[in-house]
Amino acid sequence: MKKNLETLCIHGGWRPKKGEPQQLPIIQSTTFRYETSEQMARLFDLEDEGYFYTRLQNPTNDAVAAKINALEGGVGCVLTSSGQAASFYAVFNICQAGDHFVTSNNIYGGTFNLFGVTMKKLGIDCSFVDPDWDDDRIRAAFRPNTKCFFGETISNPGGNVFDIERFARLAHEAGVPLIVDNTFATPINCRPFEWGADIVTHSTTKYMDGHAAQVGGAVVDSGNFDWEAHAGKFPGLTTPDESYHGLTYTKAFGKKAYVTKLVSQLMRDLGSIPAPQNSFLLNLGLETLHLRVPRHCQNAQRVAEWLEQNPHVAWVNYCGLPSNKYYALAQKYLPDGSCGVIAFGLKGSREDAIRFMDNLDFVSIVTHVADARTCVLHPASHTHRQLSDDQLREAGVAPDLIRLSVGLENVDDIIADLRQAMEKSAT
Ligand SMILES: *Cc1c(COP(=O)(O)O)cnc(C)c1O
């Protein structure tokens, strides 16, 4: 039976059989026992399926991955130990030294460093493009060795909306897949595969968990990209893997080639798996995702409208405001709401912004977003402090930008806290 998102949030991935626990069990075991050497050998020969070591597969992790896969509408999903690991694996699964990829410059600061600094050290080059450039300028960034395009549905922290359909077209014209980080929108508000994206990544640390309880990530494969049609570009998928029985992923696994390679090669060798305990916590969050996300959006909409008409506020960036540059794109891709994260700037100096944050009561200064608790961060003095003002602007972050992640408290209380802190700090 085809189920709707709300039902998948509750029932996806785990269906207890007779006498089994109603709640997803935490299988906190590194390994799994077999009765004969022959049984174990058959697993390694790929003649039988079964669990043997949690780095490769674990029943708790797999159940939660299956739920996220169902929510996004993919053919397979792998959980990772963090969103950073998910972004790295998603690209590294199809890029090796000497390759290149193109990425939106409106992305999370951690991803910006991963792509622009650390992956360059591995010999994987990337070009940052501004998604507002016209098609020809974007096309000019593609090279013969380009292997994918990367963007965020709603950028963290700028709140820009990514034109998924357009970038899917540009990526496919160049014969490469589009990878979309769907962390902020969540599958409740947007399912990028429906707009042509090929791979989706998540930091499950954010709304999917929603309670600041665990750090995790996910990579989901739509199964739609035709690797064989561009076989020369993707030898890792279309030629035999000598480290894995000489199998060719596209031939042996068809639509699941990409996700199977990610587990059997990258997880095997790099091992960024989540603890089953963390996957259990993530699953508790997912059970209410469909209730929490709309409330985050409603609260954020009210707060954004209040900020916009507030005399202390210089500017507000929230794609749910009709005045916003990305309003039309948000109406197209996020008709039910975008997310709870607002970017805004206060009038006055950097110090005024810092005083405002210090005067807040329950709204907390934390390096986190997308949590039940409302929180703020000033990227220029916190997460992005290693970037110069020019680099900040290049990453779509204004030096005076305050990132406000609107939580699930009473919205009048949230506004009252912001108001008293602004009034106290106004010079
Ligand atoms: C937080 C975040 C990440 C990184 O995820 P971690 O779980 O912190 O490693 C990646 N992308 C986006 C959009 C994020 O907000």
Side-chain angles (χ1 to χ4, degrees), residues 82-84 87 108 111 152 156 181 183-184 203 205-206 215-216:
S82 67
Q84 284 301 101
S87 305
Y108 172 67
T111 316
E152 282 176 19
N156 176 4
D181 180 336
T183 298
F184 271 21
S203 165
T205 318
K206 312 295 166 53
V215 172

Side-chain angles (χ1 to χ4, degrees), residues 80-87 107-111 150 152-157 181-184 201-206 214-217 367-370 403:
T80 56
S81 54
S82 67
Q84 284 301 101
S87 305
I107 52 172
Y108 172 67
T111 316
F150 187 97
E152 282 176 19
T153 314
I154 307 170
S155 67
N156 176 4
D181 180 336
N182 198 34
T183 298
F184 271 21
T201 62
H202 280 280
S203 165
T204 63
T205 318
K206 312 295 166 53
Q214 59 88 50
V215 172
T367 308
H368 191 48
V369 281
R403 183 178 72 179

Side-chain angles (χ1 to χ4, degrees), residues 370-393:
D371 175 10
R373 286 150 283 240
T374 299
C375 51
V376 285
L377 185 88
H378 184 216
S381 16
H382 306 140
T383 45
H384 290 59
R385 54 185 301 132
Q386 74 282 7
L387 300 189
S388 67
D389 279 10
D390 281 346
Q391 283 176 314
L392 276 175
R393 283 191 202 93

Side-chain angles (χ1 to χ4, degrees), residues 58-318:
N58 170 283
T60 310
N61 293 349
D62 287 359
V64 182
K67 176 177 284 189
I68 294 172
N69 186 49
L71 289 169
E72 287 288 4
V75 296
C77 170
V78 184
L79 298 189
T80 56
S81 54
S82 67
Q84 284 301 101
S87 305
F88 176 62
Y89 281 22
V91 174
F92 193 58
N93 203 31
I94 44 174
C95 280
Q96 61 186 35
D99 286 344
H100 167 264
F101 66 104
V102 185
T103 175
S104 161
N105 61 5
N106 285 188
I107 52 172
Y108 172 67
T111 316
F112 196 86
N113 280 326
L114 168 67
F115 291 170
V117 179
T118 299
M119 288 184 74
K120 285 198 173 151
K121 291 183 190 161
L122 297 174
I124 297 169
D125 198 8
C126 76
S127 304
F128 290 94
V129 297
D130 183 336
D132 288 342
W133 288 352
D134 66 26
D135 284 3
D136 284 340
R137 200 157 167 209
I138 301 275
R139 281 190 193 107
F142 285 91
R143 304 176 189 167
N145 62 342
T146 299
K147 299 300 166 78
C148 63
F149 192 102
F150 187 97
E152 282 176 19
T153 314
I154 307 170
S155 67
N156 176 4
N160 304 354
V161 181
F162 188 61
D163 192 344
I164 302 172
E165 209 169 29
R166 174 178 172 230
F167 287 96
R169 172 172 55 78
L170 290 168
H172 295 161
E173 257 177 32
V176 301
L178 175 66
I179 304 178
V180 173
D181 180 336
N182 198 34
T183 298
F184 271 21
T186 83
I188 300 302
N189 282 344
C190 180
R191 288 159 309 282
F193 296 156
E194 293 172 2
W195 300 103
D198 301 287
I199 313 290
V200 157
T201 62
H202 280 280
S203 165
T204 63
T205 318
K206 312 295 166 53
Y207 290 113
M208 281 193 171
D209 172 304
H211 302 80
Q214 59 88 50
V215 172
V219 182
V220 194
D221 182 2
S222 69
N224 292 334
F225 193 79
D226 189 349
W227 309 104
E228 283 287 348
H230 309 281
K233 271 191 195 294
F234 304 104
L237 287 161
T238 60
T239 62
D241 177 0
E242 294 314 330
S243 77
Y244 193 59
H245 306 275
L247 278 178
T248 298
Y249 292 99
T250 46
K251 298 215 164 59
F253 303 103
K255 280 188 170 300
K256 294 189 176 183
Y258 173 93
V259 73
T260 307
K261 175 175 182 283
L262 201 151
V263 175
S264 47
Q265 197 182 72
L266 300 192
M267 272 305 175
R268 180 195 64 192
D269 297 348
L270 300 171
S272 310
I273 52 144
Q277 172 82 36
N278 276 358
S279 296
F280 171 84
L281 292 170
L282 168 58
N283 191 52
L284 283 185
L286 288 169
E287 288 186 357
T288 56
L289 187 68
H290 58 298
L291 296 177
R292 292 183 289 103
V293 165
R295 180 60 70 87
H296 278 290
C297 296
Q298 276 169 29
N299 282 359
Q301 185 72 30
R302 279 276 310 278
V303 172
E305 287 166 7
W306 177 80
L307 285 170
E308 193 171 43
Q309 47 75 47
N310 186 301
H312 300 293
V313 173
W315 56 271
V316 184
N317 196 3
Y318 185 67

